[in-house]
Amino acid sequence: MSGSLNSITSTATSGMRASQLGIAVLSDNIANAGVAGYTAKRLDLSTFEVDGVRTGLVSRSVDEALQTSIWTSTSRVGALTARSQLLQAVNATQGTPGDGTSIASAVSALQSKFTLLQAQPSGATLQSSVVAAADTLAGSINRTAAAIIHERNGVQGQIVSAVETLNAALDTVRVLTRDIVKAIGDGGDTANLEDKRDVALQSMSDTLDLHFDKQANGDITILG
């Protein structure tokens, strides 16, 4: 009887412990729902007739394939956005085709002035009009060159900042990966460590078009 009672008590105790841990995991999910990089967690449970409920590790509810797809899309969007901004800035100096403000219109106007001057080389008015047309074209070209230089300098500054961010993220990933591999080897939880690593990986994917191959032992391979 005492053995049966002990078994019942043990089963009830293990069930209560599992419930407490489950509530703690649920509370963390609710409290961190709005935290960037946090993923929903779940407590792995196993039921046994002899010793009741055994609690396993806390794991993440993450669709790895979807996550990888999002990171890849983010990288491509970032690259296209930077390219679009550069082209828009340069295009703004080109004027609008058809209204006489574009570089093509300035070139055409200069050609026309030269054609008229060729017919009457000594005409002072025509000579002045050629000079004016040439100045207009030169001004358009100079504005475009200045815009390109400005954007190039801006891109160089962004590259310096991006490299600093990338190096910091790489160092974070290295440290967290070491801790994750060790935790898995020791049979411990890695969910929170993986969340932190994913934040760093997200930062890297915002900078470069990268692919991440996660290994079963917690290690990770970063491919460009």
Side-chain angles (χ1 to χ4, degrees):
M1 178 67 179
S2 59
S4 177
L5 181 60
N6 288 337
S7 177
I8 294 174
T9 302
S10 175
T11 300
T13 300
S14 68
M16 291 178 61
R17 185 184 306 111
S19 296
Q20 290 174 340
L21 292 174
I23 291 173
V25 171
L26 179 60
S27 297
D28 282 344
N29 286 338
I30 295 173
N32 294 286
V35 176
Y38 182 85
T39 59
K41 307 297 189 299
R42 65 173 180 270
L43 179 64
D44 296 329
L45 300 175
S46 300
T47 304
F48 296 88
E49 292 184 2
V50 177
D51 52 2
V53 180
R54 290 183 186 176
T55 57
L57 300 177
V58 175
S59 58
R60 306 191 307 162
S61 299
V62 176
D63 187 327
E64 298 285 356
L66 178 59
Q67 184 183 62
T68 300
S69 177
I70 291 174
W71 286 346
T72 301
S73 298
T74 299
S75 299
R76 292 173 180 171
V77 169
L80 291 174
T81 299
R83 183 180 302 174
S84 176
Q85 291 174 345
L86 173 61
L87 293 177
Q88 286 178 0
V90 174
N91 186 62
T93 68
Q94 305 294 303
T96 304
D99 68 356
T101 63
S102 66
I103 290 182
S105 296
V107 171
S108 179
L110 181 59
Q111 289 175 333
S112 298
K113 298 300 182 183
F114 268 121
T115 299
L116 293 174
L117 181 61
Q118 188 177 20
Q120 191 178 347
S122 60
T125 301
L126 291 176
Q127 292 173 355
S128 297
S129 66
V130 167
V131 173
D135 285 342
T136 299
L137 176 58
S140 297
I141 294 174
N142 288 337
R143 284 191 295 274
T144 298
I148 292 174
I149 292 174
H150 179 270
E151 292 301 317
R152 183 191 65 189
N153 292 338
V155 169
Q156 288 177 338
Q158 292 175 6
I159 290 174
V160 172
S161 177
V163 169
E164 292 176 351
T165 299
L166 185 61
N167 286 336
L170 276 171
D171 189 56
T172 299
V173 169
R174 178 185 61 80
V175 173
L176 289 171
T177 297
R178 179 198 64 197
D179 294 343
I180 290 170
V181 171
K182 184 178 185 305
I184 290 178
D186 295 341
D189 290 327
T190 63
N192 289 328
L193 290 172
E194 290 185 72
D195 278 355
K196 293 177 181 178
R197 185 173 67 176
D198 282 353
V199 171
L201 293 176
Q202 174 67 62
S203 175
M204 292 171 62
S205 70
D206 289 342
T207 304
L208 293 176
D209 186 4
L210 300 173
H211 301 278
F212 309 106
D213 184 16
K214 297 181 179 180
Q215 310 298 324
N217 67 342
D219 204 355
I220 187 169
T221 302
I222 301 175
L223 304 173

